[in-house]
Amino acid sequence: MTKYNVATLEGDGIGPEVTKAAISVMQEACGSNTIHFEKLDGGALHYQKSGTALPDESFKACQNMDAILHGAAGMPGITHPDGTEVGNDLHLELRFKLDLYANVRPIRLLPGVKSPLRKFDKGGIDYVIVRENTEGLYASRGAGMVLRDDIASDSLVITRKGTERVAKFAFELAKKRNGSPSDGKSRVTVCDKANILRSYAFFRSVCNDVHQGYPDVEIDYCYVDAITVHMVKKPEFYDVIVAENMFGDIISDLGATTVGGMGISPSAEIGDKHALFQGAHGSAPDIAGQNIASPVATILSGAMMLEWLGNKHNDIGLLSAGKRIESAVSKVLSEGLAVPTDLGGNSSCTQMTEAICRVLANHNLGA
Ligand code: IPM
Ligand code: MN
């Protein structure tokens, strides 16, 4: 009898390949009797067959299981009449209906990975973007206005409750971390456009209110345009960045690129009761089915899932397994035991997975 059940939405494109890879690594780290991965339907191709990207039975399973593991969803060209992609319904419905309000995106330069930023060849980039995940400009998904093929608009929604809880998440995270690489200070940087829009000035003011409860964490502010410069010029300054939904979506891809790309960037979408874990990349249909996608982002998302489950259930075995997976990935990349194609190597998805599993099986990784 397994201890945990994980709703598994492989999705579209490379989703099945990278999800299978993450499951193999987690089973190697935890033993195959710890977690049952329940494979569920969903995504753009499922929509083509059934008319829905997230069937009720899949949603109910996500609601009732211990966590959600997701590959990727969306296929270009499979769109609603309004032009928006149907595959993203899967993801956005889960975010909104399960209230996964904190989208946690670690931006960390792993040993052995070359950053496109020249001076960072020995690490030194280690921060987390906490993206508000249930409102902002995304609140208008499916609710925007298009009139007479002449005018269109979407609204940006910022609520006190939505901002308080994501800011609190960010400050709590900063308290647990070791501070920024540049000065070791625990810091939350509020990313907004408060100089121009009242809604972002409101976002900033609510983050300020939350900061009153965290005297040991420094608060810092940066306009979203300026932060794209600083994320390239002084990434070592950042510890935790909190941002509205759309800004977080955009800057997290820039951040991922500075540490090796979307293929190495995990994410955890966390609410008070539920959580979804996926690589921050998309379905990459152009490389699907060729065994060349990097599974690293989804494997590291699996490690984040084990740590989240371990903390929630006070399960030191899972906490250890999550840390060992992270160490195994670092060892494989730093020693070049296998290098994915998106990092300049020629290891297949399978070879990456097998190399990480071998390290897990044959090395005492501590933790
Ligand atoms: C992401 C993706 C999603 C988003 C899509 C897949 C709905 O870009 O998770 O960053 O827009 O948030
Ligand atoms: Mn995105």
Side-chain angles (χ1 to χ4, degrees), residues 95 105 131 138 246 248-250 252-253 262 278 280-282:
R95 287 176 180 174
R105 301 200 156 176
R131 165 188 172 185
Y138 278 63
M246 181 59 84
D249 177 51
I250 295 165
S252 56
D253 279 19
M262 304 310 290
Q278 64 145 7
H281 51 68

Side-chain angles (χ1 to χ4, degrees), residues 237-251:
F237 173 78
Y238 294 109
D239 181 20
V240 176
I241 299 173
V242 63
E244 171 270 335
N245 210 335
M246 181 59 84
F247 285 177
D249 177 51
I250 295 165
I251 66 169

Side-chain angles (χ1 to χ4, degrees), residues 5-6 45-46 56 65 78 83 133 147 157 161 197 209 220 222 224 245 263 269 310 321 350 361:
N5 292 301
V6 169
L45 295 178
H46 186 75
D56 287 347
M65 290 190 179
I78 305 180
N133 209 33
L147 272 186
V157 175
K161 175 191 170 191
L197 293 179
D209 295 345
D220 168 55
C222 195
V224 65
N245 210 335
E269 305 188 25
T350 309

Side-chain angles (χ1 to χ4, degrees), residues 114-305:
K114 279 214 176 327
S115 164
L117 306 181
R118 277 184 306 285
K119 70 175 183 179
F120 294 95
D121 53 5
K122 297 236 178 334
I125 303 176
D126 182 355
Y127 58 92
V128 181
I129 294 172
V130 178
R131 165 188 172 185
E132 199 296 319
N133 209 33
T134 62
E135 52 184 47
L137 200 45
Y138 278 63
S140 289
R141 164 77 174 188
M145 172 272 281
V146 178
L147 272 186
R148 298 182 303 280
D149 195 24
D150 180 39
I151 175 172
S153 85
D154 283 304
S155 306
L156 171 62
V157 175
I158 302 283
T159 67
R160 175 168 292 276
K161 175 191 170 191
T163 306
E164 275 176 351
R165 63 186 186 175
V166 77
K168 189 167 168 28
F169 189 103
F171 281 102
E172 288 294 334
L173 178 61
K175 268 177 70 177
K176 292 182 202 133
R177 285 172 48 87
N178 300 317
S180 93
S182 63
D183 57 16
K185 279 193 180 156
S186 292
R187 176 179 297 121
V188 171
T189 299
V190 181
C191 166
D192 59 41
K193 198 64 179 171
N195 52 334
I196 304 296
L197 293 179
R198 290 176 184 159
S199 46
Y200 286 120
F202 178 66
F203 180 86
R204 178 177 292 199
S205 74
V206 175
C207 290
N208 266 327
D209 295 345
V210 172
H211 177 234
Q212 301 316 305
Y214 295 89
D216 298 335
V217 179
E218 183 184 287
I219 191 165
D220 168 55
Y221 312 96
C222 195
Y223 299 136
V224 65
D225 46 349
I227 212 166
T228 64
V229 175
H230 299 326
M231 284 166 71
V232 173
K233 306 275 278 187
K234 59 166 193 173
E236 72 280 10
F237 173 78
Y238 294 109
D239 181 20
V240 176
I241 299 173
V242 63
E244 171 270 335
N245 210 335
M246 181 59 84
F247 285 177
D249 177 51
I250 295 165
I251 66 169
S252 56
D253 279 19
L254 172 60
T257 305
T258 65
V259 293
M262 304 310 290
I264 199 167
S265 297
S267 81
E269 305 188 25
I270 297 173
D272 290 336
K273 295 193 191 114
H274 304 280
L276 178 150
F277 301 85
Q278 64 145 7
H281 51 68
S283 56
D286 55 321
I287 60 168
Q290 302 168 41
N291 195 22
I292 56 175
S294 171
V296 173
T298 310
I299 289 169
L300 289 174
S301 302
M304 292 177 81
M305 181 176 82

